[in-house]
């Protein structure tokens, strides 16, 4: 029934409209402007379903379904019997909330109906709303788009709302909530204020440079402000990938020689049988991916083929893909068999994968490595766990679970470094669009520093400020807005 609900509501918004226009008494004419309605809660049987409207005909819809002459007190819930506007048939007893504009989410008159969540009730109420003159079903994201158009939300706050709706981990929720609260928007507004002040001083110097009305050192102060802004922008751009990883997930790749326990670890971390576990070497021959919530961070976890030479053609293709995936990894979980460290495959992995990563440990943009020695349960009590020549590592047993707590804590530390801590520090750049506009602003400031012509310097500052306005306001580009709002569901 739910699969056909969208089409049912669309038909109800057109055909019954003509019927009720004829059965209307004529006391209330068609309200000009577009008023939208939609189911805003999740589909399916539930205790309560929320249906909302937004637009100038929201008051008409409320009176049509409840027979109230006046709307209830603003932002106060009232229990009312809902009836179909044409037939008068009772539909449900509902909590009704009235949000007069501009003090509403969209800035328009809004109404919410909290009805019982059965499919028949929801379908009947939506059909009744479709029969009210001036109402039509909402498109995906249309409520939020109206809020943006009326200045209720900046574009970065809209993106934060979309991320909050789609958040699946604790870190994603925290980051999205900070962006929805306007932290990134406020930061950009502060930068824009600095640019506006600098531009005003430059233009004043152009117009009144020969007068005595200007304070001394005006241009020197502008230069200092611009240089400080360049430093701030460069710092955020260096961290741009962290925010994007936090939003889309960090790439964590499990790699090592055959039979080191890679598939067992993937199954433990994902808490489901993603990979086949077998004592036969070379069982995994392709990349197996699964999204995982690790310590509150979003992760795309990849199981790879065991790295070794001399295998068959199919397995060698798996090894090639594994090495290719290693190059794309943010964090590498290198696994070795603690009871078989002297084997040729273990030594080869240490030489070709582990050693180069350890050598790059001083590089801030390096790939991060956690070296794991699995099968610690096979080590005798008085035998050394490993050679002293090994780099820092963790002992682990996928069979008994020993060492898993230490691994999860180490992973949490590495993921916080890769994705950033959403609870502290400045707001992160979570989308490529943010990085693009900040880079454009930084490039414009670079042109300001290079030019000696004050007119060109003023134009460079205007371009830099325009890039920041595009970041928070979209610059009026419909294509960009369409891409952003297509992530929203109908009713939000």
């Amino acid at each position: 029934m739910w699969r056909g609900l969208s089409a049912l509501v669309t038909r109800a918004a057109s055909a019954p409209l003509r019927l009720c226009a004829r059965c209307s008494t004529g006391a209330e004419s068609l309200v000009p402007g577009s008023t939208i309605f939609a189911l805003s809660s999740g589909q399916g049987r539930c205790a309560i379903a929320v249906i909302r409207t937004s637009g100038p005909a929201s008051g008409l819809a409320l009176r049509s379904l409840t027979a109230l002459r006046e709307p209830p007190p603003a932002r106060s819930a009232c229990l009312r019997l809902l009836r179909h506007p044409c037939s008068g048939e009772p539909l449900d007893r509902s909590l009704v909330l009235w949000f007069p504009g501009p003090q509403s989410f969209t800035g328009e008159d809004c109404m919410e109906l909290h009805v019982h969540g059965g499919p028949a009730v929801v379908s009947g109420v939506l059909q009744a709303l479709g029969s009210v003159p001036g109402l039509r079903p909402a498109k995906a994201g249309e409520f939020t788009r109206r809020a943006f158009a009326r200045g209720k939300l900046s574009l970065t706050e809209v993106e934060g709302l979309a991320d909050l709706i789609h958040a699946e981990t604790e870190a994603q929720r925290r980051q999205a909530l900070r962006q929805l609260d306007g932290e990134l928007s406020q930061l950009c507004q502060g930068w824009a204020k600095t640019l506006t002040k600098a531009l005003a001083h430059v233009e004043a110097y152009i117009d009144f440079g020969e007068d005595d009305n200007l304070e001394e050192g005006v241009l020197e102060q502008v230069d200092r402000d611009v240089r400080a802004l360049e430093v701030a922008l460069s710092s955020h751009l260096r961290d741009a990938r962290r925010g994007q990883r936090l939003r889309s997930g960090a790439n964590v790749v499990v790699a090592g020689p055959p039979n080191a326990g890679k598939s067992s670890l993937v199954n433990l971390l994902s808490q489901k049988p993603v990979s086949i576990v077998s004592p036969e070497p070379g069982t995994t021959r392709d990349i197996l991916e699964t999204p995982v919530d690790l310590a509150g961070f979003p992760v795309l976890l990849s199981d790879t083929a065991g790295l070794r030479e001399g295998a068959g053609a199919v397995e060698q293709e798996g090894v090639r893909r594994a090495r290719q995936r290693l190059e794309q990894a943010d964090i590498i979980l290198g696994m070795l068999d603690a009871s078989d460290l002297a084997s040729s495959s273990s030594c080869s992995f240490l030489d070709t994968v582990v050693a180069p990563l350890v050598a790059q440990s001083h590089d801030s943009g390096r790939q991060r490595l956690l070296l794991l020695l699995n099968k610690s349960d096979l080590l005798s009590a008085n035998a050394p766990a490993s050679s002293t020549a090994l780099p820092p590592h963790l002992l682990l047993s996928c069979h008994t679970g020993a060492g898993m707590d230490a691994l999860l804590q180490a992973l949490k530390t590495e993921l916080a470094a890769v994705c950033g801590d959403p609870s502290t520090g400045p707001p992160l750049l979570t989308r490529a669009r943010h990085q693009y506009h900040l880079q454009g602003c930084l490039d414009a400031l670079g042109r300001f520093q290079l030019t000696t012509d004050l007119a060109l310097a003023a134009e460079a500052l205007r371009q830099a400020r325009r890039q920041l306005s595009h970041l928070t306001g979209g610059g009026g580009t419909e294509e960009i807005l369409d891409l952003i709002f297509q992530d929203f569901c109908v009713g939000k």
Side-chain angles (χ1 to χ4, degrees):
M1 178 175 182
W2 283 102
R3 294 179 179 178
L5 183 57
S6 177
L8 182 63
V9 174
T10 303
R11 292 197 300 271
S14 55
L17 173 62
R18 297 188 295 272
L19 173 62
C20 285
R22 289 195 298 269
C23 70
S24 173
T25 61
E28 293 168 318
S29 60
L30 182 65
V31 179
S34 174
T35 299
I36 55 176
F37 68 92
L39 173 68
S40 292
S41 54
Q43 294 187 352
R45 287 180 174 83
C46 54
I48 300 295
V50 179
I51 299 172
R52 58 168 23 171
T53 71
S54 178
S58 293
L60 172 61
L62 179 59
R63 293 191 295 273
S64 298
L65 269 68
T66 63
L68 291 174
R69 293 186 177 182
E70 296 293 336
R75 291 169 292 279
S76 297
C78 299
L79 182 64
R80 293 290 182 269
L81 175 64
L82 302 184
R83 295 181 180 273
H84 196 285
C86 294
S87 65
E89 177 187 1
L91 300 172
D92 191 23
R93 289 192 178 276
S94 165
L95 284 180
V96 177
L97 291 99
W98 172 246
F99 302 94
Q103 303 300 321
S104 68
F105 173 70
T106 63
E108 303 176 317
D109 288 347
C110 293
M111 173 189 67
E112 285 187 4
L113 302 174
H114 294 219
V115 301
H116 292 94
V121 174
V122 173
S123 176
V125 174
L126 289 174
Q127 288 187 54
L129 286 172
S131 70
V132 177
L135 267 68
R136 64 168 177 82
K139 300 176 183 178
E142 193 168 1
F143 286 91
T144 306
R145 189 157 188 167
R146 291 188 175 202
F148 166 71
R150 286 160 182 80
K152 290 290 184 176
L153 296 173
S154 69
L155 200 57
T156 53
E157 290 168 347
V158 166
E159 290 168 330
L161 178 57
D163 291 344
L164 186 61
I165 292 173
H166 294 96
E168 296 180 347
T169 69
E170 186 69 14
Q172 287 176 322
R173 180 191 63 80
R174 291 177 180 174
Q175 168 59 28
L177 196 57
R178 289 185 66 186
Q179 191 164 324
L180 176 59
D181 287 342
E183 291 193 23
L184 180 58
S185 177
Q186 292 166 13
L187 184 64
C188 291
Q189 289 172 7
W191 291 337
K193 185 177 181 180
T194 299
L195 287 174
T196 300
K197 182 179 179 180
L199 178 59
H201 285 169
V202 171
E203 290 182 335
Y205 196 90
I206 293 174
D207 293 336
F208 308 107
E210 298 180 358
D211 297 340
D212 296 331
N213 295 329
L214 292 179
E215 298 178 2
E216 293 184 3
V218 169
L219 293 184
E220 289 78 3
Q221 183 61 46
V222 168
D223 187 64
R224 287 193 294 270
D225 291 343
V226 169
R227 289 186 184 277
L229 185 54
E230 283 183 305
V231 172
L233 292 176
S234 298
S235 174
H236 274 75
L237 285 169
R238 282 195 299 271
D239 286 342
R241 279 288 295 147
R242 293 202 305 165
Q244 293 181 44
R245 291 190 193 103
L246 183 59
R247 180 171 174 264
S248 58
N251 285 317
V252 176
V253 176
V254 182
N259 267 10
K262 301 182 297 298
S263 296
S264 297
L265 179 62
V266 169
N267 290 346
L268 281 174
L269 291 176
S270 60
Q271 299 182 359
K272 59 183 178 181
V274 176
S275 304
I276 297 175
V277 177
S278 169
E280 179 184 343
T283 304
T284 302
R285 298 189 176 187
D286 205 347
I287 307 296
L288 298 177
E289 297 179 338
T290 182
V292 180
D293 178 351
L294 286 181
F297 290 89
V299 166
L300 182 62
L301 186 63
S302 299
D303 188 12
T304 60
L307 301 179
R308 65 172 175 174
E309 302 295 335
V314 175
E315 189 176 345
Q316 280 303 304
E317 174 62 20
V319 171
R320 186 193 68 80
R321 295 186 182 187
R323 295 189 183 279
Q324 186 179 48
R325 182 55 57 90
L326 279 174
E327 297 175 359
Q328 304 167 358
D330 298 312
I331 299 174
I332 296 173
L333 300 182
M335 290 201 70
L336 292 172
D337 185 342
S339 64
D340 191 27
L341 292 176
S343 66
S344 59
S345 58
S346 295
C347 293
S348 175
F349 182 75
L350 286 169
D351 292 338
T352 60
V353 177
V354 175
L357 290 172
V358 172
Q360 299 172 7
S361 60
H362 63 279
D363 184 2
S364 60
R366 74 188 191 282
Q367 290 178 306
R368 295 178 174 268
L369 170 71
L370 285 177
L371 182 59
L372 311 176
L373 302 187
N374 188 31
K375 304 184 182 181
S376 61
D377 55 297
L378 298 181
L379 298 175
S380 59
N382 54 1
S386 61
S387 169
T388 56
L390 284 176
H393 56 272
L394 295 172
L395 277 176
L396 177 71
S397 173
C398 290
H399 178 66
T400 65
M404 284 299 298
D405 290 341
L407 170 59
L408 290 175
Q409 186 59 44
L411 265 175
K412 182 178 182 179
T413 301
E414 296 297 326
L415 286 169
V418 166
C419 299
D421 188 347
S423 302
T424 61
L428 299 172
L429 308 178
T430 57
R431 299 182 184 236
R433 188 184 71 84
H434 302 166
Q435 187 175 4
Y436 173 81
H437 288 302
L438 281 193
Q439 185 62 56
C441 181
L442 187 61
D443 293 343
L445 295 182
R447 292 191 294 272
F448 168 85
Q449 297 287 2
L450 292 175
T451 186
T452 57
D453 187 301
L454 287 180
L456 293 178
E459 178 59 26
L461 291 177
R462 276 191 289 270
Q463 291 177 359
R465 191 176 59 171
R466 191 177 302 119
Q467 289 291 340
L468 290 181
S469 70
H470 288 343
L471 197 156
T472 57
T477 306
E478 287 299 319
E479 291 80 3
I480 295 177
L481 296 179
D482 290 341
L483 287 174
I484 292 173
F485 285 100
Q486 73 181 6
D487 288 340
F488 284 89
C489 58
V490 174
K492 188 59 184 172

